[in-house]
Amino acid sequence: MTTEKIETMPEEIKQIEDGKPMYTISKDLLVVETTKDFSNPLSDDKNAMKLFLENNLEILDSYFNDNDNNYGISVYACGYNGKAQDEFIQSWLDENVKVF
């Protein structure tokens, strides 16, 4: 399954060009393939994305269902603690998952 382009995103956001499949998580909490590099979270490793999903179900549920705010996933995981957010982001980057 491929995600559709979000019309509100700026045109300068580019598509992933190397043809390598990338994966993200949908609002239905499913790992899906994407062709856009602005997805949050994002990985070229489907198993890494499954691991991220399994370890962050409650956080992702909050992220996708907060209609009043536009926070990154790291805020839902760590609150407003910038150092904790950086550590969360880095720990998942070490697992090949880009998250913000």
Side-chain angles (χ1 to χ4, degrees), residues 33-73:
E33 193 171 318
T34 184
T35 58
K36 308 296 181 205
D37 67 355
F38 57 81
S39 299
N40 185 27
L42 184 67
S43 180
D44 62 0
D45 182 340
K46 189 173 186 177
N47 289 326
M49 190 57 63
K50 287 179 182 179
L51 180 66
F52 183 83
L53 175 62
E54 290 170 7
N55 284 279
N56 296 289
L57 277 172
E58 289 181 34
I59 293 165
L60 289 164
D61 185 54
S62 296
Y63 170 72
F64 285 123
N65 290 303
D66 185 352
N67 297 321
D68 296 328
N69 299 296
N70 189 24
Y71 301 130
I73 293 171

